[in-house]
Amino acid sequence: MAMRIIDMATFVALARNRHFGRTARELNTTQPAISSRLAILERDYACRLVERGDREFRLTPAGEEALAVFQEVLEKLNTLKSDLKEGGSDAAYIVRIGAIDSVVATWMPDFIEALSHAMPNLRVELTIEGTRDLVAGLAHGEFDLIFGIEPAIGDSFRSFIICYYEMVWAAAPAAIDAGAIYSVDELSQMPIITFPKGTPPYTYVAPYFQDERVLASKLTSSNSLFAMINLLIGGFGLAAIPSVAIARELENGLLCRVKVAKPFPPMPIVATYQTAVGQNILRSVADHARNSAADFCRKVSSESAWVPE
């Protein structure tokens, strides 16, 4: 059986993207060409590698086995090629990272810089989205690694809590009584800014209140952490925000912590990456992320950010 590298590479890309159109665009070819290469593999192996007939892309058990072998072969070929060129095993590899605002505003810059030094040939494509869109994008093969507040669930993903952020109620100094300790009922009477209803961040805010209907009547929603911070600085309402994301605003007095009778639970930052493709490189990238988050937590107050024990 004469196995072509292009067919193996196409199958690995198809498994990563989980979509014929996206795979064709990535490989700068057409969908019929992708289908043809898949058909060649299935003819040579005399079995189906991809399930047909449903709306979700899914590999067959034979497809999962073939993917593992193809990935190993291609990684060894890439390692050999880069070694012969005195490069690194990460040569010409693209990693697609998605992250929520709170990560981008804290340790993401240090993480990207660390990657650039440790893996200089790695190309990073960074997208800022909410957790729900990140999880959906990972499931559809649009991301290789994401950082949100919930994991992606599936056999082809690995998730771990990378750190925790302290959550505080914050507002402009003029919008509150700095000496008062606010009860839950008192907070519910004030204008509250949060992420849109139904999003994972909203699920952290709503249970804080006894009656979500009261919260809904006072709610202003935004899908951007930075927009929420600007609204707070402008004197509108209050919001539950990671204290590390507004450290400068707290320090220079643009914002202040709202004293409350009921503390807000910490927010986990969850890393999830694909294990089906590029596993060695993605594991290394995830390890760098873990180290960058840990370094960041060591630099800030231990009450505002910390790593799991």
Side-chain angles (χ1 to χ4, degrees):
M1 183 189 309
M3 184 65 62
R4 300 192 309 170
I5 293 176
I6 191 173
D7 296 333
M8 289 191 288
T10 297
F11 187 75
V12 170
L14 183 61
R16 180 175 66 251
N17 289 301
R18 306 184 183 199
H19 191 275
F20 283 81
R22 285 195 293 268
T23 303
R25 288 192 293 272
E26 177 184 329
L27 300 181
N28 195 28
T29 186
T30 63
Q31 290 191 46
I34 301 299
S35 298
S36 175
R37 294 171 190 174
L38 175 61
I40 290 172
L41 289 172
E42 292 183 325
R43 183 193 64 205
D44 288 344
Y45 282 101
C47 64
R48 288 284 191 183
L49 300 177
V50 176
E51 294 282 6
R52 266 78 161 180
D54 57 19
R55 303 178 74 178
E56 290 187 10
F57 180 91
R58 190 184 315 155
L59 297 180
T60 65
E64 296 283 0
E65 187 176 353
L67 175 62
V69 174
F70 293 168
Q71 178 186 336
E72 183 178 1
V73 170
L74 292 173
E75 286 188 355
K76 286 183 177 179
L77 287 173
N78 285 335
T79 299
L80 175 62
K81 182 179 178 181
S82 59
D83 286 346
L84 292 174
K85 292 183 176 180
E86 297 183 350
S89 61
D90 57 312
Y93 195 91
I94 299 172
V95 61
R96 300 163 300 171
I97 297 174
I100 59 174
D101 295 16
S102 298
V103 172
V104 175
T106 51
W107 51 264
M108 180 60 69
D110 294 336
F111 169 48
I112 298 298
E113 184 177 359
L115 277 183
S116 69
H117 290 299
M119 309 169 78
N121 295 316
L122 189 71
R123 197 174 102 197
V124 174
E125 294 180 355
L126 176 62
T127 302
I128 306 172
E129 292 282 6
T131 295
R132 184 171 56 184
D133 291 334
L134 292 176
V135 170
L138 187 70
H140 288 92
E142 297 169 7
F143 299 112
D144 302 307
L145 170 67
I146 61 171
F147 303 101
I149 63 175
E150 290 182 348
I153 306 300
D155 293 339
S156 59
F157 306 128
R158 187 194 167 196
S159 297
F160 60 92
I161 295 177
I162 198 166
C163 62
Y164 288 96
Y165 284 166
E166 173 197 36
M167 295 289 287
V168 299
W169 286 103
I176 62 165
D177 179 353
I181 298 177
Y182 288 84
S183 68
V184 173
D185 288 339
E186 288 171 328
L187 290 177
S188 69
Q189 299 305 310
M190 303 174 68
I192 296 172
I193 311 168
T194 187
F195 283 83
K197 187 174 182 179
T199 61
Y202 179 88
T203 64
Y204 277 86
V205 176
Y208 185 89
F209 297 89
Q210 289 92 339
D211 189 345
E212 189 174 332
R213 290 172 298 177
V214 174
L215 171 63
S217 67
K218 301 290 183 180
L219 189 67
T220 296
S221 64
S222 171
N223 64 354
S224 167
L225 174 67
F226 305 111
M228 291 168 61
I229 293 173
N230 284 331
L231 285 172
L232 292 178
I233 292 174
F236 179 81
L238 70 157
I241 290 182
S243 59
V244 291
I246 53 172
R248 284 178 294 184
E249 289 80 4
L250 292 173
E251 184 177 355
N252 60 29
L254 290 174
L255 295 176
C256 65
R257 293 170 180 249
V258 180
K259 297 177 182 177
V260 293
K262 178 183 176 181
F264 206 94
M267 182 176 74
I269 300 298
V270 182
T272 305
Y273 64 91
Q274 293 198 39
T275 59
V277 291
Q279 185 173 358
N280 292 336
I281 290 179
L282 288 181
R283 188 187 299 117
S284 177
V285 172
D287 286 342
H288 280 291
R290 195 195 303 266
N291 292 337
S292 294
D295 288 342
F296 174 82
C297 291
R298 282 192 289 268
K299 294 175 184 176
V300 300
S301 166
S302 60
E303 291 80 23
S304 61
W306 61 95
V307 297
E309 296 183 357

